[in-house]
Structure formats: structure tokens, C-alpha cells
Amino acid sequence: MKFTSILAGAAALAFFSLPALAADYVGGAIKSADIGGKSVLTDANGMTLYTFDKDSAGVTNCYDKCATNWPPLFAAADAKPEGDFTLVDRTDGSKMWAYKGWPLYLWVKDTKPGDTTGDMVGEVWHTAIE
């Protein structure tokens, strides 16, 4: 009986430690999740998305080493804007997703859904909050 209680408690803890997904956007390529009491934008796998202060609305300035560390959230060639989610053209001809005009990125040091280790890196990267 005690083992069952411990197992149930562990399962509940694991369940509540994961971000709670709230909504899907642009065909599921972008989601929102409750992480730390905030509605955070994530990719389809639940990984946190970020914005970059050195970008401007509709323009990405993250290339080369920056894009290696902060992979852009690429959009499919046939992707269409939806509501607050728009597309940004990159210099290589690819497209990436943006929220309210601000390009969206992942962070290579986040290892699992719910991680937000990229927030405030260099004081120019921020968790994308819905």
C-alpha cells in the first residue's frame, strides 16, 4: 500500500512539473504553455521560444553563430500568416515565424519542454510571452 502511494505521488509530481499546453497556432507549429504562471510560446515539441532585442519588427538579425545558438523557428515554404503570427524572410530565402512581428527562436541550451534557460541571456534574449 505504501509503495502504491509513493508511486502515485511520483506520477503526480512528474505530471505537474511539465508545462501545461494551452493552445495551438499555425497548424500546431506554435503552441502556448503555462510555464511558471506565464503563457509562454513554444514550438510543436513544447520547447520555449524567445525574441531578440537586436531584431526589429519583421526583420531578423540573427545569422551565423547567433543562429547556431538560437535556431530560428523555421516555417514551411507554404506557411501562411495567422492572427498575430507572421512570417519573416531570411537572407537565405527561408522563412521563419514571428509573433506580433518579432522573430521567434529556440535556445540550444534548453534540453526539455518547460526549460527557459535562454531568458535574459546577454540581457537581449527574452521568453516569448503570449
Side-chain angles (χ1 to χ4, degrees), residues 9-43:
L13 181 61
F15 176 77
F16 288 112
S17 67
L18 294 175
L21 296 180
D24 284 3
Y25 303 101
V26 295
I30 300 172
K31 299 176 182 287
S32 75
D34 181 355
I35 301 174
K38 297 178 182 173
S39 186
V40 175
L41 296 177
T42 72
D43 72 355

Side-chain angles (χ1 to χ4, degrees), residues 24-110:
D24 284 3
Y25 303 101
V26 295
I30 300 172
K31 299 176 182 287
S32 75
D34 181 355
I35 301 174
K38 297 178 182 173
S39 186
V40 175
L41 296 177
T42 72
D43 72 355
N45 298 315
M47 299 302 289
T48 300
L49 295 172
Y50 298 90
T51 58
F52 183 38
D53 284 348
K54 295 183 180 180
D55 286 344
S56 57
V59 177
T60 177
N61 290 304
C62 185
Y63 291 96
D64 304 319
K65 186 174 180 178
C66 176
T68 299
N69 291 322
W70 298 92
L73 182 62
F74 288 108
D78 62 348
K80 303 281 185 240
E82 176 185 301
D84 287 330
F85 298 95
T86 56
L87 297 164
V88 172
D89 294 321
R90 294 182 56 80
T91 57
D92 65 1
S94 64
K95 294 186 182 299
M96 66 183 293
W97 285 109
Y99 178 65
K100 296 185 177 179
W102 291 94
L104 295 169
Y105 305 88
L106 298 154
W107 170 229
V108 296
K109 293 187 179 180
D110 282 350

